[in-house]
Amino acid sequence: DTEVTQTPKHLVMGMTNKKSLKCEQHMGHRAMYWYKQKAKKPPELMFVYSYEKLSINESVPSRFSPECPNSSLLNLHLHALQPEDSALYLCASAFRDRERNTIYFGEGSWLTVV
Amino acid sequence: AQSVTQLGSHVSVSEGALVLLRCNYSSSVPPYLFWYVQYPNQGLQLLLKYTTGATLVKGINGFEAEFKKSETSFHLTKPSAHMSDAAEYFCAVSRMDSSYKLIFGSGTRLLVRP
């Protein structure tokens, strides 16, 4: 089973709202990622968690706040977003070793900021 | 620094024809290379990967890719295109070092004509 589950699939929020995107995997992966993908563009890395600790923040604005409550869950808290933040948000996970190094992606959460 | 270049933002083939999607990489260390496919309104699915060993890698749905170190290439091929192959294809490179980052190329949209 190579499943990364993301909820919700679609989210519409106003610029003053607070919402969260959720991601779950039960493959024993210890690296988890958030990527942002705009239309007709490749995914762009936002955050990497390694062993539940934030290891990479790609200079993402503070209106995006990641959280990794445990080794299976990854959240992305959203607050005071702008319309240009509308995009597909992809969660991904991977083992943290060279032998099992494939990154698996979820189906994504489509975010629209109005 | 690592980077990936995909030649051709759009490739159009007839059903039954050979599919060739080009990918060149730049890496100062031995790379791990991946091809992902993204169908409309979906997440990314792994097609195949190269880490070490055999340079000809077979993936799902009849796709394969050959790692050529001398040419720094990892082109994706399929002998006979099917209508269901129409999608966006991303080549990606990773060092799988402490950052465990996956760097994507710009993507190639494959169009299959009946």
Side-chain angles (χ1 to χ4, degrees), chain A residues 33 35 37 41-43 45 48 56 58 88 90 95-99 101-108 110, chain B residues 32 34 36 38 41-44 46 49 51 90 95-107:
Chain A
Y33 309 75
Y35 280 82
Q37 186 179 24
K41 296 290 186 182
L45 183 65
V48 180
I56 295 177
E58 293 284 345
L88 177 65
L90 293 162
F95 286 112
R96 279 220 37 135
D97 63 63
R98 292 178 181 274
E99 295 301 315
N101 52 20
T102 301
I103 296 178
Y104 295 95
F105 286 82
E107 289 293 308
W110 291 92
Chain B
Y32 292 175
F34 305 82
Y36 286 86
Q38 187 174 34
N41 301 317
Q42 294 189 23
L44 276 71
L46 179 70
K49 66 177 182 179
T51 53
F90 292 101
R95 287 172 55 159
M96 285 299 167
D97 55 13
S98 59
S99 68
Y100 277 71
K101 290 172 63 171
L102 194 62
I103 307 300
F104 287 93
S106 56

Side-chain angles (χ1 to χ4, degrees), chain A residues 64-75:
Chain A
F64 295 93
S65 175
E67 177 196 20
C68 191
N70 59 54
S71 60
S72 300
L73 296 175
L74 184 66
N75 298 321

Side-chain angles (χ1 to χ4, degrees), chain A residues 50-101:
Chain A
S50 177
Y51 292 98
E52 296 90 68
K53 294 189 186 303
L54 183 64
S55 62
I56 295 177
N57 176 342
E58 293 284 345
S59 302
V60 178
S62 60
R63 58 186 183 268
F64 295 93
S65 175
E67 177 196 20
C68 191
N70 59 54
S71 60
S72 300
L73 296 175
L74 184 66
N75 298 321
L76 186 62
H77 302 299
L78 315 170
H79 174 54
L81 294 192
Q82 302 297 311
E84 58 265 30
D85 296 321
S86 298
L88 177 65
Y89 288 83
L90 293 162
C91 176
S93 68
F95 286 112
R96 279 220 37 135
D97 63 63
R98 292 178 181 274
E99 295 301 315
R100 300 174 296 174
N101 52 20

Side-chain angles (χ1 to χ4, degrees), chain B residues 21-99:
Chain B
L21 304 182
R22 300 179 186 273
C23 172
N24 288 88
Y25 69 90
S26 172
S27 178
S28 58
V29 297
Y32 292 175
L33 295 160
F34 305 82
W35 276 100
Y36 286 86
V37 61
Q38 187 174 34
Y39 298 102
N41 301 317
Q42 294 189 23
L44 276 71
Q45 181 181 6
L46 179 70
L47 274 178
L48 49 80
K49 66 177 182 179
Y50 169 79
T51 53
T52 59
T55 56
L56 182 62
V57 181
K58 295 185 183 298
I60 62 171
N61 302 337
F63 285 93
E64 62 182 37
E66 186 171 11
F67 171 64
K68 292 188 177 180
K69 184 178 179 180
S70 61
E71 299 177 7
T72 62
S73 69
F74 190 57
H75 302 331
L76 182 70
T77 61
K78 182 174 180 177
S80 177
H82 191 272
M83 296 297 290
S84 61
D85 294 326
E88 188 83 22
Y89 291 80
F90 292 101
C91 183
V93 64
S94 173
R95 287 172 55 159
M96 285 299 167
D97 55 13
S98 59
S99 68

